[in-house]
Coordinates of all heavy atoms in Angstrom, one line a residue:
M1 N 0.8 -1.2 0.0 CA 0.0 0.0 0.0 C 0.8 1.3 0.0 O 0.3 2.3 -0.2 CB -0.9 0.0 1.2 CG -2.0 -1.0 1.1 SD -3.2 -0.5 -0.2 CE -3.4 -2.1 -1.0
L2 N 2.1 1.1 0.2 CA 3.0 2.3 0.2 C 3.0 3.0 -1.1 O 3.0 4.2 -1.3 CB 4.4 1.9 0.7 CG 5.3 3.1 1.0 CD1 4.7 4.1 2.0 CD2 6.6 2.5 1.6
G3 N 3.1 2.1 -2.2 CA 3.0 2.6 -3.5 C 1.7 3.4 -3.8 O 1.7 4.4 -4.5
E4 N 0.6 2.9 -3.3 CA -0.7 3.6 -3.5 C -0.7 4.9 -2.8 O -1.2 5.9 -3.3 CB -1.8 2.7 -3.0 CG -3.2 3.3 -3.2 CD -3.7 3.5 -4.6 OE1 -3.0 3.2 -5.6 OE2 -4.7 4.2 -4.7
A5 N -0.1 4.9 -1.6 CA -0.1 6.2 -0.8 C 0.8 7.2 -1.6 O 0.4 8.4 -1.7 CB 0.6 5.9 0.5
L6 N 1.9 6.8 -2.2 CA 2.7 7.7 -2.9 C 2.0 8.2 -4.2 O 2.1 9.3 -4.6 CB 4.1 7.1 -3.2 CG 4.9 6.8 -2.0 CD1 6.2 6.1 -2.4 CD2 5.2 8.0 -1.1
R7 N 1.3 7.3 -4.8 CA 0.5 7.6 -6.0 C -0.5 8.7 -5.7 O -0.7 9.7 -6.4 CB -0.2 6.4 -6.6 CG -0.9 6.7 -7.9 CD -1.7 5.5 -8.4 NE -2.9 5.3 -7.6 CZ -4.0 6.1 -7.8 NH1 -4.1 7.1 -8.6 NH2 -5.1 5.9 -7.0
L8 N -1.2 8.5 -4.6 CA -2.3 9.4 -4.2 C -1.7 10.8 -3.9 O -2.3 11.8 -4.2 CB -3.1 8.9 -3.0 CG -4.0 7.7 -3.3 CD1 -4.6 7.1 -2.1 CD2 -5.1 8.2 -4.3
I9 N -0.5 10.8 -3.3 CA 0.2 12.1 -3.0 C 0.5 12.8 -4.4 O 0.3 14.0 -4.5 CB 1.5 11.9 -2.2 CG1 1.1 11.5 -0.8 CG2 2.3 13.1 -2.2 CD1 2.2 11.0 0.1
R10 N 1.0 12.0 -5.3 CA 1.3 12.6 -6.6 C 0.1 13.1 -7.3 O 0.0 14.2 -7.8 CB 2.0 11.5 -7.5 CG 2.2 12.0 -9.0 CD 2.8 10.9 -9.8 NE 1.9 9.7 -10.0 CZ 0.9 9.6 -10.8 NH1 0.5 10.7 -11.5 NH2 0.2 8.5 -10.9
V11 N -1.0 12.3 -7.3 CA -2.3 12.7 -7.9 C -2.8 14.0 -7.2 O -3.3 14.9 -7.9 CB -3.3 11.5 -7.9 CG1 -4.7 12.0 -8.3 CG2 -2.8 10.4 -8.8
Y12 N -2.8 14.0 -5.9 CA -3.2 15.2 -5.2 C -2.5 16.5 -5.7 O -3.2 17.5 -5.8 CB -3.0 15.0 -3.7 CG -3.3 16.3 -2.9 CD1 -4.6 16.6 -2.6 CD2 -2.3 17.2 -2.5 CE1 -4.9 17.8 -1.9 CE2 -2.6 18.3 -1.8 CZ -3.9 18.6 -1.5 OH -4.2 19.8 -0.9
H13 N -1.3 16.3 -6.0 CA -0.5 17.5 -6.5 C -0.6 17.7 -8.0 O 0.1 18.5 -8.6 CB 1.0 17.4 -6.0 CG 1.2 17.7 -4.6 ND1 1.0 16.7 -3.6 CD2 1.5 18.8 -3.9 CE1 1.2 17.2 -2.5 NE2 1.5 18.5 -2.6
D14 N -1.5 16.9 -8.6 CA -1.8 17.0 -10.0 C -0.5 16.9 -10.9 O -0.3 17.7 -11.8 CB -2.5 18.3 -10.3 CG -3.2 18.3 -11.7 OD1 -3.6 17.3 -12.1 OD2 -3.3 19.4 -12.3
L15 N 0.3 15.9 -10.6 CA 1.5 15.7 -11.3 C 1.4 14.4 -12.1 O 0.9 13.4 -11.7 CB 2.7 15.5 -10.3 CG 3.0 16.8 -9.5 CD1 4.1 16.4 -8.5 CD2 3.5 17.9 -10.4
K16 N 2.0 14.4 -13.2 CA 2.2 13.2 -14.0 C 3.4 12.4 -13.4 O 4.2 13.0 -12.7 CB 2.6 13.5 -15.5 CG 1.6 14.4 -16.2 CD 0.4 13.5 -16.6 CE -0.5 14.4 -17.5 NZ -1.9 14.0 -17.3
Q17 N 3.5 11.1 -13.7 CA 4.6 10.3 -13.1 C 6.0 11.0 -13.5 O 6.9 11.0 -12.6 CB 4.5 8.9 -13.6 CG 3.5 8.1 -13.0 CD 3.4 6.7 -13.4 OE1 4.0 6.3 -14.5 NE2 2.8 5.8 -12.6
K18 N 6.1 11.4 -14.7 CA 7.4 12.0 -15.1 C 7.7 13.3 -14.3 O 8.8 13.5 -13.9 CB 7.3 12.4 -16.6 CG 8.6 13.0 -17.1 CD 8.5 13.3 -18.6 CE 9.8 13.9 -19.0 NZ 9.9 14.3 -20.4
E19 N 6.7 14.1 -14.0 CA 6.9 15.3 -13.2 C 7.3 14.9 -11.8 O 8.2 15.6 -11.2 CB 5.7 16.2 -13.2 CG 5.3 16.7 -14.6 CD 3.9 17.3 -14.6 OE1 3.0 16.7 -14.0 OE2 3.7 18.3 -15.3
A20 N 6.6 14.0 -11.2 CA 6.9 13.5 -9.9 C 8.4 13.0 -9.8 O 9.1 13.2 -8.9 CB 5.9 12.5 -9.4
A21 N 8.7 12.2 -10.8 CA 10.0 11.6 -10.9 C 11.1 12.6 -10.9 O 12.1 12.5 -10.2 CB 10.1 10.7 -12.1
E22 N 10.9 13.7 -11.7 CA 11.9 14.8 -11.8 C 12.0 15.5 -10.4 O 13.1 15.8 -10.0 CB 11.5 15.8 -12.8 CG 11.6 15.2 -14.3 CD 11.0 16.1 -15.3 OE1 10.4 17.1 -15.0 OE2 11.2 15.7 -16.5
R23 N 10.9 15.7 -9.8 CA 10.9 16.4 -8.5 C 11.5 15.6 -7.4 O 12.2 16.2 -6.5 CB 9.5 16.8 -8.1 CG 8.9 18.0 -9.0 CD 7.5 18.4 -8.6 NE 7.4 19.0 -7.3 CZ 6.3 19.6 -6.9 NH1 5.3 19.7 -7.7 NH2 6.3 20.1 -5.7
V24 N 11.3 14.3 -7.4 CA 11.9 13.4 -6.4 C 13.3 12.9 -6.7 O 14.0 12.5 -5.9 CB 10.9 12.2 -6.2 CG1 11.4 11.2 -5.2 CG2 9.5 12.7 -5.7
G25 N 13.6 13.0 -8.0 CA 15.0 12.7 -8.4 C 15.2 11.2 -8.7 O 16.3 10.6 -8.4
V26 N 14.1 10.5 -9.2 CA 14.2 9.1 -9.6 C 13.7 9.0 -11.0 O 13.2 10.0 -11.6 CB 13.4 8.2 -8.6 CG1 14.0 8.3 -7.2 CG2 12.0 8.6 -8.6
S27 N 13.8 7.8 -11.6 CA 13.3 7.6 -13.0 C 11.8 7.5 -13.0 O 11.2 7.0 -12.0 CB 14.0 6.4 -13.6 OG 13.5 5.2 -13.0
T28 N 11.2 7.8 -14.1 CA 9.8 7.6 -14.3 C 9.4 6.1 -14.2 O 8.4 5.8 -13.6 CB 9.4 8.2 -15.7 OG1 9.8 9.5 -15.8 CG2 7.9 8.1 -15.9
S29 N 10.2 5.3 -14.7 CA 9.9 3.8 -14.6 C 9.9 3.4 -13.2 O 9.1 2.5 -12.8 CB 10.9 3.0 -15.5 OG 12.2 3.1 -15.0
Y30 N 10.8 3.9 -12.4 CA 10.8 3.5 -10.9 C 9.5 4.0 -10.3 O 8.9 3.2 -9.5 CB 12.0 4.1 -10.3 CG 12.2 3.7 -8.8 CD1 12.3 2.3 -8.5 CD2 12.4 4.6 -7.8 CE1 12.5 1.9 -7.2 CE2 12.6 4.2 -6.5 CZ 12.6 2.9 -6.2 OH 12.8 2.5 -4.9
I31 N 9.1 5.2 -10.5 CA 7.8 5.7 -10.0 C 6.7 4.8 -10.4 O 5.8 4.4 -9.6 CB 7.5 7.1 -10.5 CG1 8.5 8.1 -9.9 CG2 6.1 7.6 -10.1 CD1 8.3 8.5 -8.5
S32 N 6.7 4.4 -11.7 CA 5.6 3.5 -12.2 C 5.6 2.2 -11.5 O 4.6 1.7 -11.1 CB 5.8 3.3 -13.7 OG 4.9 2.4 -14.2
E33 N 6.8 1.6 -11.3 CA 6.9 0.3 -10.6 C 6.5 0.4 -9.2 O 5.8 -0.5 -8.6 CB 8.4 -0.2 -10.7 CG 8.7 -0.6 -12.1 CD 10.2 -0.9 -12.3 OE1 11.1 -0.2 -11.7 OE2 10.5 -2.0 -12.9
I34 N 6.8 1.5 -8.5 CA 6.4 1.7 -7.1 C 4.9 1.8 -7.0 O 4.2 1.1 -6.2 CB 7.0 3.0 -6.5 CG1 8.5 2.8 -6.3 CG2 6.3 3.4 -5.2 CD1 9.2 4.1 -5.9
E35 N 4.3 2.6 -7.9 CA 2.8 2.8 -7.9 C 2.1 1.5 -8.3 O 1.0 1.3 -7.8 CB 2.5 3.9 -8.8 CG 2.9 5.3 -8.2 CD 2.5 6.5 -9.0 OE1 1.8 6.3 -10.1 OE2 2.9 7.6 -8.7
R36 N 2.7 0.7 -9.1 CA 2.0 -0.6 -9.5 C 2.2 -1.7 -8.4 O 1.6 -2.7 -8.5 CB 2.5 -1.1 -10.8 CG 2.0 -0.4 -12.0 CD 2.3 -1.1 -13.3 NE 3.6 -1.8 -13.4 CZ 4.7 -1.4 -13.9 NH1 4.8 -0.2 -14.4 NH2 5.8 -2.1 -13.9
G37 N 3.1 -1.4 -7.5 CA 3.4 -2.4 -6.5 C 4.4 -3.5 -6.8 O 4.6 -4.4 -6.1
T38 N 5.1 -3.3 -7.9 CA 6.1 -4.3 -8.3 C 7.5 -4.0 -7.7 O 8.3 -4.9 -7.7 CB 6.3 -4.3 -9.9 OG1 6.6 -3.1 -10.4 CG2 5.0 -4.8 -10.5
K39 N 7.6 -2.8 -7.2 CA 8.9 -2.4 -6.4 C 8.4 -1.7 -5.1 O 7.4 -1.0 -5.1 CB 9.8 -1.5 -7.2 CG 10.5 -2.2 -8.3 CD 11.8 -1.6 -8.5 CE 12.5 -2.5 -9.6 NZ 13.7 -1.9 -10.1
T40 N 9.2 -2.0 -4.1 CA 9.0 -1.3 -2.8 C 9.9 -0.1 -2.7 O 11.1 -0.2 -3.0 CB 9.2 -2.2 -1.6 OG1 8.4 -3.4 -1.8 CG2 9.0 -1.6 -0.3
P41 N 9.4 1.1 -2.4 CA 10.3 2.3 -2.4 C 11.2 2.2 -1.2 O 10.9 1.6 -0.1 CB 9.3 3.4 -2.2 CG 8.1 2.8 -1.6 CD 8.0 1.4 -2.1
T42 N 12.4 2.6 -1.4 CA 13.4 2.7 -0.3 C 13.0 3.8 0.7 O 12.2 4.7 0.3 CB 14.8 2.9 -0.8 OG1 14.8 4.2 -1.4 CG2 15.2 1.9 -1.8
L43 N 13.6 3.7 1.9 CA 13.4 4.8 2.8 C 13.9 6.1 2.3 O 13.3 7.2 2.5 CB 14.1 4.5 4.2 CG 13.9 5.5 5.3 CD1 12.5 5.8 5.6 CD2 14.7 5.1 6.5
E44 N 15.0 6.1 1.5 CA 15.5 7.3 0.9 C 14.5 7.9 -0.1 O 14.3 9.2 -0.1 CB 16.8 7.0 0.1 CG 17.4 8.1 -0.6 CD 18.6 7.8 -1.5 OE1 19.0 6.6 -1.5 OE2 19.2 8.7 -2.1
V45 N 13.8 7.1 -0.8 CA 12.7 7.7 -1.8 C 11.6 8.2 -1.0 O 11.1 9.3 -1.3 CB 12.3 6.6 -2.7 CG1 11.0 7.0 -3.5 CG2 13.4 6.2 -3.7
I46 N 11.2 7.6 0.1 CA 10.1 8.1 0.9 C 10.5 9.4 1.6 O 9.7 10.3 1.6 CB 9.7 7.0 2.0 CG1 9.1 5.8 1.4 CG2 8.7 7.6 3.0 CD1 9.0 4.6 2.3
E47 N 11.7 9.5 2.0 CA 12.2 10.8 2.5 C 12.2 11.9 1.5 O 12.0 13.0 1.8 CB 13.6 10.6 3.1 CG 13.6 9.8 4.4 CD 15.0 9.4 4.9 OE1 16.0 9.4 4.1 OE2 15.1 9.1 6.1
K48 N 12.5 11.5 0.2 CA 12.5 12.5 -0.9 C 11.1 13.0 -1.1 O 10.9 14.2 -1.3 CB 13.1 11.9 -2.1 CG 14.6 11.7 -2.1 CD 15.1 11.1 -3.4 CE 16.6 11.0 -3.4 NZ 17.1 10.4 -4.7
Y49 N 10.1 12.1 -1.0 CA 8.7 12.5 -1.1 C 8.4 13.4 0.0 O 7.7 14.5 -0.1 CB 7.8 11.3 -1.1 CG 7.4 10.7 -2.4 CD1 8.3 9.8 -3.0 CD2 6.2 11.0 -3.1 CE1 8.0 9.2 -4.3 CE2 5.9 10.4 -4.3 CZ 6.8 9.6 -4.9 OH 6.5 9.0 -6.1
S50 N 8.8 13.1 1.2 CA 8.6 13.9 2.4 C 9.1 15.3 2.2 O 8.3 16.3 2.5 CB 9.3 13.2 3.6 OG 9.2 14.0 4.8
R51 N 10.3 15.4 1.8 CA 10.9 16.8 1.6 C 10.2 17.5 0.5 O 9.8 18.7 0.6 CB 12.4 16.7 1.3 CG 13.2 16.4 2.5 CD 14.7 16.5 2.2 NE 15.2 15.6 1.2 CZ 15.6 14.4 1.4 NH1 15.5 13.8 2.6 NH2 16.0 13.6 0.3
E52 N 10.0 16.9 -0.7 CA 9.4 17.5 -1.8 C 8.0 18.0 -1.6 O 7.6 19.1 -2.0 CB 9.5 16.6 -3.0 CG 9.0 17.2 -4.3 CD 9.8 18.5 -4.7 OE1 11.0 18.6 -4.5 OE2 9.1 19.4 -5.3
F53 N 7.2 17.2 -0.9 CA 5.8 17.5 -0.8 C 5.5 18.0 0.6 O 4.3 18.2 1.0 CB 4.9 16.3 -1.1 CG 5.1 15.9 -2.6 CD1 5.8 14.7 -2.9 CD2 4.6 16.7 -3.6 CE1 5.9 14.4 -4.3 CE2 4.7 16.3 -4.9 CZ 5.4 15.2 -5.3
D54 N 6.5 18.2 1.5 CA 6.4 18.7 2.8 C 5.4 18.0 3.6 O 4.5 18.5 4.2 CB 6.0 20.2 2.7 CG 6.3 20.9 4.0 OD1 7.2 20.5 4.8 OD2 5.6 21.9 4.3
I55 N 5.6 16.6 3.6 CA 4.7 15.7 4.4 C 5.7 14.9 5.3 O 6.6 14.3 4.7 CB 3.9 14.8 3.5 CG1 3.0 15.6 2.5 CG2 3.0 13.9 4.3 CD1 2.4 14.7 1.4
P56 N 5.4 14.8 6.6 CA 6.3 14.0 7.4 C 6.3 12.6 7.0 O 5.3 12.0 6.5 CB 5.7 14.2 8.8 CG 4.9 15.4 8.8 CD 4.4 15.5 7.4
V57 N 7.5 11.9 7.1 CA 7.6 10.5 6.7 C 6.6 9.7 7.5 O 5.9 8.8 7.0 CB 9.0 10.0 7.0 CG1 9.1 8.5 6.8 CG2 10.0 10.6 6.0
S58 N 6.4 10.0 8.8 CA 5.4 9.3 9.6 C 4.0 9.4 9.1 O 3.3 8.5 9.2 CB 5.5 9.8 11.1 OG 5.2 11.2 11.1
S59 N 3.7 10.6 8.5 CA 2.3 10.7 7.9 C 2.2 9.9 6.7 O 1.1 9.3 6.4 CB 2.0 12.2 7.6 OG 2.0 12.9 8.8
I60 N 3.2 9.8 5.9 CA 3.2 8.9 4.7 C 3.0 7.5 5.1 O 2.2 6.8 4.5 CB 4.4 9.1 3.8 CG1 4.5 10.5 3.3 CG2 4.5 8.1 2.7 CD1 5.8 10.9 2.6
M61 N 3.7 7.1 6.1 CA 3.6 5.7 6.6 C 2.3 5.4 7.2 O 1.7 4.4 6.9 CB 4.7 5.4 7.6 CG 6.1 5.6 7.1 SD 6.5 4.6 5.6 CE 6.7 3.0 6.3
F62 N 1.7 6.3 8.0 CA 0.4 6.2 8.5 C -0.7 6.1 7.4 O -1.5 5.2 7.5 CB 0.1 7.3 9.5 CG -1.3 7.2 10.0 CD1 -1.6 6.4 11.0 CD2 -2.3 8.0 9.5 CE1 -2.9 6.3 11.5 CE2 -3.6 8.0 10.0 CZ -3.9 7.1 11.0
F63 N -0.6 6.9 6.5 CA -1.5 6.9 5.3 C -1.4 5.5 4.6 O -2.4 4.9 4.3 CB -1.1 8.0 4.4 CG -2.0 8.2 3.2 CD1 -3.4 8.0 3.2 CD2 -1.5 8.5 1.9 CE1 -4.2 8.1 2.1 CE2 -2.3 8.7 0.8 CZ -3.6 8.5 0.9
S64 N -0.2 5.0 4.4 CA 0.0 3.8 3.8 C -0.7 2.6 4.6 O -1.4 1.8 4.1 CB 1.4 3.5 3.6 OG 1.6 2.2 3.1
E65 N -0.4 2.7 5.9 CA -1.0 1.6 6.8 C -2.5 1.7 6.8 O -3.2 0.7 6.9 CB -0.4 1.8 8.2 CG 1.1 1.4 8.3 CD 1.7 1.7 9.6 OE1 1.0 2.1 10.6 OE2 2.9 1.6 9.7
S66 N -3.0 2.9 6.8 CA -4.5 3.0 6.8 C -5.1 2.5 5.5 O -6.2 1.9 5.6 CB -4.9 4.5 6.9 OG -4.4 5.0 8.2
L67 N -4.4 2.6 4.4 CA -4.9 2.0 3.2 C -4.9 0.5 3.2 O -5.7 -0.2 2.6 CB -4.1 2.5 2.0 CG -4.2 4.0 1.6 CD1 -3.1 4.3 0.5 CD2 -5.6 4.2 1.0
A68 N -3.9 -0.1 4.0 CA -3.8 -1.5 4.0 C -4.7 -2.2 5.0 O -4.9 -3.4 4.9 CB -2.3 -1.8 4.4
R69 N -5.3 -1.5 5.9 CA -6.2 -2.1 6.8 C -7.4 -2.7 6.2 O -7.8 -2.3 5.1 CB -6.6 -1.1 7.9 CG -5.5 -0.7 8.8 CD -5.9 0.0 10.1 NE -4.7 0.3 10.8 CZ -4.3 1.6 11.0 NH1 -5.0 2.6 10.6 NH2 -3.2 1.8 11.7
G70 N -8.1 -3.5 6.9 CA -9.2 -4.2 6.3 C -10.4 -3.3 6.1 O -10.3 -2.1 6.2
G71 N -11.5 -3.9 5.7 CA -12.7 -3.2 5.4 C -12.8 -3.0 3.9 O -12.0 -3.4 3.1
S72 N -13.8 -2.3 3.5 CA -14.1 -2.0 2.1 C -13.0 -1.1 1.6 O -12.6 -0.1 2.2 CB -15.4 -1.3 1.9 OG -15.5 -0.7 0.7
W73 N -12.4 -1.5 0.5 CA -11.3 -0.7 -0.2 C -11.8 0.7 -0.5 O -11.1 1.7 -0.2 CB -10.8 -1.4 -1.4 CG -9.8 -0.6 -2.2 CD1 -10.0 -0.1 -3.4 CD2 -8.5 -0.2 -1.8 NE1 -8.9 0.6 -3.8 CE2 -8.0 0.6 -2.8 CE3 -7.7 -0.3 -0.6 CZ2 -6.7 1.2 -2.8 CZ3 -6.5 0.3 -0.6 CH2 -6.0 1.0 -1.6
D74 N -12.9 0.8 -1.1 CA -13.5 2.1 -1.5 C -13.7 3.0 -0.3 O -13.4 4.2 -0.3 CB -14.7 2.0 -2.3 CG -14.4 1.4 -3.7 OD1 -13.3 1.6 -4.2 OD2 -15.3 0.8 -4.3
T75 N -14.3 2.4 0.8 CA -14.6 3.2 2.0 C -13.3 3.6 2.6 O -13.1 4.8 3.0 CB -15.3 2.3 3.0 OG1 -16.6 1.8 2.4 CG2 -15.7 3.0 4.3
T76 N -12.3 2.7 2.7 CA -11.0 3.1 3.3 C -10.3 4.2 2.4 O -9.8 5.2 3.0 CB -10.1 1.9 3.3 OG1 -10.7 0.9 4.1 CG2 -8.7 2.2 3.9
R77 N -10.3 4.0 1.1 CA -9.7 5.0 0.3 C -10.4 6.4 0.4 O -9.7 7.4 0.5 CB -9.8 4.6 -1.2 CG -9.1 5.5 -2.2 CD -9.5 5.2 -3.6 NE -8.9 3.9 -4.0 CZ -8.1 3.8 -5.0 NH1 -7.7 4.8 -5.7 NH2 -7.6 2.6 -5.3
T78 N -11.7 6.4 0.4 CA -12.4 7.7 0.6 C -12.1 8.3 1.9 O -11.8 9.5 2.0 CB -13.9 7.5 0.4 OG1 -14.1 6.9 -0.9 CG2 -14.7 8.7 0.5
F79 N -12.1 7.5 3.0 CA -11.9 8.1 4.3 C -10.5 8.6 4.4 O -10.3 9.8 4.9 CB -12.1 7.0 5.4 CG -11.7 7.4 6.7 CD1 -12.6 8.2 7.5 CD2 -10.5 7.0 7.3 CE1 -12.2 8.6 8.8 CE2 -10.2 7.4 8.6 CZ -11.0 8.2 9.3
V80 N -9.5 7.8 4.1 CA -8.1 8.3 4.2 C -7.8 9.4 3.3 O -7.1 10.3 3.7 CB -7.2 7.1 4.0 CG1 -5.7 7.5 4.0 CG2 -7.4 6.0 5.1
A81 N -8.3 9.3 2.1 CA -8.0 10.4 1.1 C -8.5 11.8 1.7 O -7.8 12.8 1.6 CB -8.6 10.1 -0.2
G82 N -9.7 11.7 2.2 CA -10.3 12.9 2.8 C -9.4 13.5 4.0 O -9.2 14.7 4.1
K83 N -8.9 12.6 4.8 CA -8.0 13.0 5.9 C -6.7 13.5 5.4 O -6.2 14.5 5.9 CB -7.8 11.8 6.9 CG -9.0 11.3 7.6 CD -9.6 12.3 8.5 CE -10.7 11.7 9.3 NZ -11.4 12.7 10.1
V84 N -6.2 12.9 4.4 CA -4.9 13.4 3.9 C -5.1 14.8 3.2 O -4.3 15.7 3.4 CB -4.3 12.4 2.9 CG1 -3.1 13.0 2.1 CG2 -3.8 11.1 3.6
L85 N -6.2 14.9 2.5 CA -6.4 16.2 1.8 C -6.6 17.3 2.9 O -6.0 18.4 2.7 CB -7.7 16.2 1.0 CG -7.5 15.3 -0.3 CD1 -8.9 15.3 -1.0 CD2 -6.5 15.9 -1.2
A86 N -7.3 17.0 4.0 CA -7.4 18.0 5.0 C -6.1 18.3 5.7 O -5.8 19.5 6.0 CB -8.4 17.4 6.1
L87 N -5.2 17.3 5.9 CA -3.9 17.5 6.4 C -3.0 18.3 5.5 O -2.4 19.3 5.9 CB -3.2 16.2 6.7 CG -1.8 16.2 7.2 CD1 -1.7 16.9 8.5 CD2 -1.2 14.8 7.3
M88 N -3.1 18.0 4.2 CA -2.3 18.8 3.3 C -2.8 20.3 3.2 O -1.9 21.2 3.1 CB -2.4 18.2 1.9 CG -1.6 16.9 1.8 SD -1.8 16.1 0.2 CE -0.6 14.8 0.3
Q89 N -4.1 20.5 3.3 CA -4.6 21.9 3.3 C -4.1 22.6 4.5 O -3.8 23.8 4.4 CB -6.1 21.9 3.1 CG -6.6 21.4 1.8 CD -8.1 21.1 1.7 OE1 -8.7 21.0 2.7 NE2 -8.6 21.0 0.5
F90 N -4.2 21.9 5.6 CA -3.7 22.5 6.9 C -2.2 22.9 6.8 O -1.8 24.0 7.1 CB -3.9 21.6 8.0 CG -3.2 22.0 9.3 CD1 -3.7 23.0 10.1 CD2 -2.0 21.4 9.7 CE1 -3.1 23.3 11.3 CE2 -1.4 21.7 10.8 CZ -1.9 22.7 11.6
L91 N -1.4 22.0 6.3 CA 0.0 22.2 6.2 C 0.3 23.3 5.2 O 1.2 24.2 5.4 CB 0.8 21.0 5.7 CG 0.8 19.8 6.8 CD1 1.3 18.6 6.2 CD2 1.5 20.2 8.0
E92 N -0.5 23.4 4.1 CA -0.3 24.4 3.1 C -0.6 25.8 3.7 O 0.1 26.8 3.5 CB -1.2 24.2 1.9 CG -1.0 25.2 0.8 CD -1.8 24.8 -0.4 OE1 -3.0 24.5 -0.3 OE2 -1.3 24.9 -1.5
A93 N -1.7 25.9 4.4 CA -2.1 27.1 5.1 C -1.1 27.6 6.1 O -0.7 28.7 6.2 CB -3.5 27.0 5.7
R94 N -0.5 26.6 6.8 CA 0.5 26.9 7.8 C 1.8 27.4 7.2 O 2.4 28.3 7.7 CB 0.7 25.6 8.7 CG 1.7 25.8 9.8 CD 1.8 24.6 10.6 NE 2.8 24.8 11.6 CZ 3.2 23.9 12.4 NH1 2.8 22.6 12.3 NH2 4.2 24.1 13.3
A95 N 2.1 26.8 6.1 CA 3.3 27.2 5.4 C 3.1 28.6 4.8 O 4.1 29.4 4.8 CB 3.7 26.2 4.3
G96 N 1.9 28.9 4.3 CA 1.7 30.2 3.8 C 1.8 31.3 4.9 O 2.3 32.4 4.6
R97 N 1.3 31.0 6.1 CA 1.5 31.9 7.2 C 2.9 32.1 7.6 O 3.4 33.2 7.9 CB 0.7 31.4 8.4 CG -0.8 31.6 8.3 CD -1.5 31.5 9.6 NE -1.2 30.2 10.3 CZ -1.9 29.1 10.2 NH1 -3.0 29.1 9.6 NH2 -1.6 28.0 10.9
A98 N 3.7 31.0 7.5 CA 5.1 31.1 7.9 C 5.9 32.0 6.9 O 6.8 32.7 7.3 CB 5.7 29.7 8.0
H99 N 5.5 31.9 5.6 CA 6.2 32.7 4.6 C 5.8 34.1 4.7 O 6.6 35.0 4.4 CB 5.9 32.1 3.2 CG 6.5 30.8 2.9 ND1 7.9 30.6 3.0 CD2 6.0 29.6 2.6 CE1 8.2 29.3 2.7 NE2 7.0 28.7 2.5
A100 N 4.6 34.4 5.2 CA 4.1 35.8 5.3 C 4.8 36.5 6.4 O 4.9 37.7 6.4 CB 2.6 35.8 5.5
E101 N 5.2 35.8 7.4 CA 5.9 36.4 8.6 C 7.3 36.7 8.2 O 8.0 37.4 8.3 CB 5.9 35.4 9.8 CG 4.5 35.1 10.2 CD 4.5 34.0 11.3 OE1 5.5 33.5 11.7 OE2 3.4 33.7 11.7

């Protein structure tokens, strides 16, 4: 589910795989393999996502674990995606205030 969490972060930021790969500093094919679940991202790659998208590694891991828990996939996806969007909006607003100061 870690690949799905990273895919949702990319989609939230309205990026193509190629754009995300450039921002994170990996190949497009690697991003594709991670998102398809054929490769597991390294901690280094997760940290790059963390820095690039200003999301704590712990939040990315929690998001991933939440996606992996039981229950209806669609219900879980909807619930978690809503929480992540709210968190990202909060962080964006907070960063905006910090830059204004």
Side-chain angles (χ1 to χ4, degrees):
M1 289 293 133
L2 192 49
E4 178 66 5
L6 297 178
R7 185 188 74 77
L8 289 171
I9 291 169
R10 175 183 62 78
V11 169
Y12 172 81
H13 286 86
D14 196 30
L15 296 173
K16 303 282 186 210
Q17 285 182 340
K18 181 178 180 179
E19 296 166 321
E22 290 171 357
R23 288 178 67 171
V24 175
V26 297
S27 70
T28 304
S29 63
Y30 187 56
I31 294 284
S32 177
E33 290 172 316
I34 289 171
E35 291 183 2
R36 284 193 325 262
T38 59
K39 287 214 173 166
T40 301
T42 63
L43 181 55
E44 179 183 2
V45 169
I46 296 167
E47 289 172 339
K48 287 179 179 183
Y49 270 82
S50 173
R51 283 189 301 273
E52 183 59 37
F53 298 108
D54 198 27
I55 303 169
V57 170
S58 59
S59 294
I60 294 172
M61 300 305 285
F62 176 76
F63 182 38
S64 173
E65 290 173 9
S66 296
L67 289 172
R69 288 196 184 114
S72 165
W73 172 248
D74 289 332
T75 302
T76 302
R77 181 191 294 237
T78 301
F79 173 78
V80 174
K83 296 295 183 185
V84 169
L85 290 175
L87 175 63
M88 289 179 169
Q89 289 168 344
F90 168 77
L91 293 172
E92 183 177 46
R94 186 173 172 189
R97 285 195 306 264
H99 291 301
E101 297 175 359

